[in-house]
Amino acid sequence: MAGPAFRAAAVRVRVPATSANLGPGFDAFGLALGLYDDVVVRVADSGLHVDIAGEGADTLARDEKHLVVRSLRTAFDLLGGQPRGLEVVCANRIPHGRGLGSSSAAICAGIIAARAVTIGGPSVLDDTALLELATEIEGHPDNVAACLLGGLTVAWSEGGAARAIRLDPADSLVPVVFVPATPVLTETARGLLPRTVPHVDAAANAGRAALLVEALTRRPELLLPATEDRLHQDYRAPAMPETLALVHRLRNEGVPAVVSGAGPTVLAFTDEGAADKVSRFAGEGWAANRLALDASGACVLPLAGGQ
C-alpha cells in the first residue's frame, strides 16, 4: 500500500504550559497556562534538521532523541508512514524540569504537527486518538489533557484508554508561578511517593478534589481549603524542601498555593487586586511570573502570526 501524502508547506503549532495535580487532584487535574512553546515542522526531501531556541537550546538533542521528533515519528507511524525528511524548529519558552509540562508540550506539539502536515491526517488521528497517543507517550494524562484542550481538565483512564473533560476556570483567577533556578526530575519526585497511603488521607483528598472543581470554576473563595493535599506534596519534600517551605508560607498567609506538577515550581491562585502582592512572596532564588489562563489549548497557527 502507498504511504500517506504530505503537505509541502510548513505548519506551526503552539502549545501551552500546564500545571497538573493542583493540590488534591493527583494525576487527574490539569490547568493550561498562558506560556507557550512554538514548533514549526516541514516535510523535507531527506534527512532530519532540528533547530532550538530558548529553553533547552544548550542541552537538548538535535537528532532522533529529541522528544518532539520522537513524538512526530510515533504519530507518523499511526498515520501510515514516515516522510522522507523533516525540518523541525522549536522556540521554547516553557522551563524544563520545573513542573510546568514542558515534556507534555513537546509531545503534543509533535503529534499535532504530524497530523497537520499529513493530508487527511485528522480523519485518521482524531482528537480522541490524539489524547490517547499523547498519554501513551507521556505515561499519564493530566498534563497532556490540559495542553490539548486548554482550560481546566479532569482526566481519567477507562478501559485502558485516556479520557478527559474540559471545564472553564473562573475569569477572576490569576495564576502566579514561582519558578526556582534548579530543576527536579519528575522520576525523582515520583519515586518518593509511598506505595500505600492512609485511608483517612485518601478520603480527605477525595473530598477536597471534588471541592476544587467548584472552587476553580465558580467559587474561588474556597480555593484555600480546596487545594489542601495529603497524598503527594509533603512526601516530595526531601527532593524540594524550599518548594514545600514556600507552599506552606503562602498558605499561612491565606494564599492558595500548591506544588505545580511534580515540582519544583509553586503555583499560587490569586486575583487581579492581589497578584502583585502575592508575587513579592518569591524571595531570592525564585522567579515570580504572573500568567494568564489559556482557554484554547494546543493549536495550529499561521506561520506569519505574532509570537
Side-chain angles (χ1 to χ4, degrees):
M1 293 180 62
F6 302 104
R7 304 185 189 280
V11 299
R12 173 186 172 209
V13 178
R14 170 163 285 186
V15 283
T18 52
S19 182
N21 301 328
L22 309 180
F26 181 66
D27 275 4
F29 287 15
L31 187 68
L33 303 170
L35 179 65
Y36 302 93
D37 284 353
D38 284 275
V39 175
V40 175
V41 174
R42 188 178 77 85
V43 171
D45 292 333
S46 63
L48 171 66
H49 176 78
V50 179
D51 189 26
I52 305 166
E55 296 285 339
D58 297 329
T59 58
L60 293 177
R62 285 173 163 78
D63 55 20
E64 296 286 347
K65 296 179 182 178
H66 193 286
L67 185 53
V68 171
V69 177
R70 287 191 279 132
S71 301
L72 282 161
R73 296 299 192 196
T74 302
F76 281 132
D77 282 342
L78 293 179
L79 289 162
Q82 300 290 331
R84 295 186 301 274
L86 282 173
E87 295 177 359
V88 181
V89 179
C90 304
N92 295 338
R93 303 174 189 88
I94 303 171
H96 290 194
R98 302 302 198 283
L100 288 170
S102 61
S103 63
S104 292
I107 291 166
C108 293
I111 63 177
I112 290 173
R115 184 175 76 168
V117 298
T118 303
I119 295 175
S123 64
V124 178
L125 200 60
D126 63 14
D127 290 348
T128 298
L130 277 184
L131 176 62
E132 293 178 4
L133 177 58
T135 301
E136 180 182 335
I137 299 171
E138 174 75 334
H140 45 89
D142 46 5
N143 284 103
V144 294
C147 187
L148 290 171
L149 301 177
L152 169 66
T153 55
V154 182
W156 70 97
S157 179
E158 185 175 336
R163 298 287 183 263
I165 57 170
R166 182 194 179 282
L167 302 169
D168 289 318
D171 292 336
S172 62
L173 281 182
V174 176
V176 176
V177 293
F178 300 87
V179 184
T182 305
V184 171
L185 293 176
T186 299
E187 293 81 1
T188 300
R190 189 171 282 268
L192 292 169
L193 301 181
R195 295 182 63 86
T196 61
V197 296
H199 188 278
V200 65
D201 289 346
N205 260 53
R208 298 306 170 111
L211 180 61
L212 185 57
V213 175
E214 176 75 2
L216 284 171
T217 57
R218 297 199 301 179
R219 299 182 64 186
E221 70 272 14
L222 294 174
L223 274 168
L224 187 60
T227 50
E228 182 182 348
D229 165 72
R230 298 190 191 179
L231 287 189
H232 66 102
Q233 293 188 156
D234 286 341
Y235 291 112
R236 288 169 160 159
M240 54 189 95
E242 296 87 356
T243 292
L244 271 298
L246 180 56
V247 168
H248 293 314
R249 188 160 73 249
L250 286 162
R251 295 185 68 85
N252 287 339
E253 293 291 331
V255 179
V258 297
V259 177
S260 181
T265 290
V266 173
L267 169 67
F269 293 107
T270 184
D271 56 29
E272 188 68 31
D276 290 340
K277 178 181 177 182
V278 169
S279 297
R280 290 195 288 271
F281 275 91
E284 187 176 352
W286 298 88
N289 298 292
R290 171 180 165 175
L291 299 175
L293 295 168
D294 173 82
S296 302
C299 57
V300 178
L301 296 178
L303 279 173
Q307 295 297 309

